[in-house]
Amino acid sequence: MARSVTEWVTVTGDISIIARESGEVWFHSPSSTKEGVDPFATPMTGAGAAGSTVGLLDGAINLGFAGIEKRLARPDPTLVNYTVALVGAYHTSVDTPRNLQRAARRFNELGRPEVAAYLEERAREETGHDRLALKDLRALGLPAERLVANFVPEGIKPLCKRFDDLCVQDYPIGCIGYSYCLERIAALKQKTDVEKVQAMCPDGVDATRFLRSHSGLGSEVTHVEETIEFVASLPANDRISVVQETYESALIMAEGYNHEFLKSEAEMLADLQQAVGEALPYRLSSYPSHGEKRGARPAA
Ligand SMILES: [Fe+2]
Ligand SMILES: [Fe+2]
């Protein structure tokens, strides 16, 4: 009988993630092991398997988000923070196909056509997703192009920069870890999340195109599954790099969430209004976030 696969990756100086094909995942601290007896001190070299690779990838995300886990009890969305999220979604989508194609060309040069083919396929799948976010913004009555041209949410900037940087590296394998992190987190969104947004949109307005397709209801689930299979098929040193970058991207994303949590509804609205250079439609300001009093709703 074939032996069950065990994979491991050190993601910080003091933490390794260990995952078994059976689904067990645990974190291991090399410094807690006596020198010379740590079986995970040297990088893994064996083949991967989907069951253990997903443990490493999701373990990396959990670890990256561990610092803000308690704060992730998401407040109900408001139209203001949903609008900011849509602007962020636009910025994390708009360069994705071009960036992935660039990384694909590099892998072709490196004689890795299977990685190039995977990235080209992903580039095709992601094409047009920025337009979904623009359509949603327009559906909310906003000047979408002006808004995204003049505003990148603070928490999103480092994430966009990370992806740009990863895709121009000489060996751009990390872009797969970044994409996994974003897609895996998007795929956690459920029907109830979409319904909450629909409920606060004016009647007849469909502003959830991007959210639906980047949730557990849309293509994101398949993208995540395909990526797990593909990463599991890679050589050990590539799997290590992908998991390490999944962790780094999760840290950056968690920091970005932190940033957004610290902003009040009024500050977010001010950012949006400054970007478009005009007062936004009343309905954006009519749904104050937690901690703010809901004002009387003027007759629209
Ligand atoms: Fe997408
Ligand atoms: Fe996707």
Side-chain angles (χ1 to χ4, degrees):
M1 207 175 96
R3 279 186 63 189
S4 162
V5 173
T6 299
E7 298 187 62
W8 64 94
V9 174
T10 300
V11 286
T12 73
D14 204 39
I15 303 178
S16 301
I17 308 168
I18 303 163
R20 289 214 174 109
E21 200 176 350
S22 56
E24 285 167 87
V25 183
W26 70 99
F27 299 118
H28 171 76
S29 179
S31 60
S32 67
T33 321
K34 278 190 216 137
E35 215 172 311
V37 293
D38 184 355
F40 307 109
T42 48
M44 65 176 176
T45 54
S52 42
T53 299
V54 69
L56 293 181
L57 291 166
D58 288 353
I61 292 177
N62 287 332
L63 205 56
F65 273 84
I68 64 157
E69 211 166 7
K70 289 190 193 75
R71 302 185 62 185
L72 270 181
R74 277 170 287 178
D76 283 344
T78 66
L79 276 176
V80 171
N81 66 32
Y82 182 62
T83 301
V84 173
L86 277 176
V87 175
Y90 169 83
H91 287 292
T92 54
S93 308
V94 66
D95 293 328
T96 302
R98 185 175 52 84
N99 275 339
L100 290 174
Q101 275 155 3
R102 182 178 178 135
R105 280 197 301 279
R106 182 66 189 141
F107 277 108
N108 268 327
E109 286 167 12
L110 291 165
R112 298 286 303 277
E114 81 288 3
V115 183
Y118 164 82
L119 293 172
E120 279 159 9
E121 173 69 20
R122 305 307 323 283
R124 273 191 295 276
E125 287 169 352
E126 295 300 324
T127 299
H129 287 190
D130 55 324
R131 290 200 292 275
L132 295 178
L134 286 176
K135 281 184 183 172
D136 288 338
L137 289 166
R138 258 182 241 127
L140 289 169
L142 297 162
E145 277 79 8
R146 200 181 338 148
L147 182 53
V148 299
N150 295 330
F151 179 45
V152 186
E154 278 305 315
I156 289 292
K157 283 179 188 168
L159 212 49
C160 294
K161 182 175 183 324
R162 184 75 178 186
F163 191 49
D164 291 348
D165 291 348
L166 287 168
C167 291
V168 298
Q169 286 181 353
D170 283 344
Y171 193 73
I173 199 81
C175 69
I176 299 175
Y178 169 98
S179 298
Y180 181 83
C181 180
L182 263 68
E183 296 196 310
R184 180 73 179 93
I185 288 172
L188 293 174
K189 297 193 182 110
Q190 295 301 312
K191 197 164 174 247
T192 50
D193 296 303
V194 176
E195 285 168 350
K196 274 183 194 167
V197 172
Q198 275 165 341
M200 69 184 181
C201 289
D203 283 349
V205 167
D206 176 13
T208 59
R209 295 169 183 87
F210 187 94
L211 177 60
R212 288 199 308 270
S213 90
H214 296 80
S215 72
L217 306 176
S219 53
E220 219 64 318
V221 179
T222 326
H223 295 176
V224 166
E225 286 166 1
E226 287 168 356
T227 298
I228 293 164
E229 289 291 334
F230 180 71
V231 175
S233 76
L234 289 170
N237 54 348
D238 285 345
R239 299 201 309 281
I240 291 170
S241 300
V242 169
V243 171
Q244 286 171 335
E245 183 49 44
T246 302
Y247 170 69
E248 295 298 332
S249 296
L251 279 180
I252 295 170
M253 208 170 161
E255 187 55 42
Y257 276 165
N258 246 343
H259 201 280
E260 297 307 318
F261 280 136
L262 292 174
K263 281 210 162 178
S264 71
E265 183 88 352
E267 284 170 316
M268 282 191 269
L269 183 59
D271 285 344
L272 294 170
Q273 297 196 140
Q274 193 183 14
V276 296
E278 61 183 76
L280 288 175
Y282 153 74
R283 57 180 176 269
L284 280 178
S285 56
S286 64
Y287 293 85
S289 66
H290 289 249
E292 290 188 12
K293 287 199 180 112
R294 187 178 290 253
R297 184 178 179 150

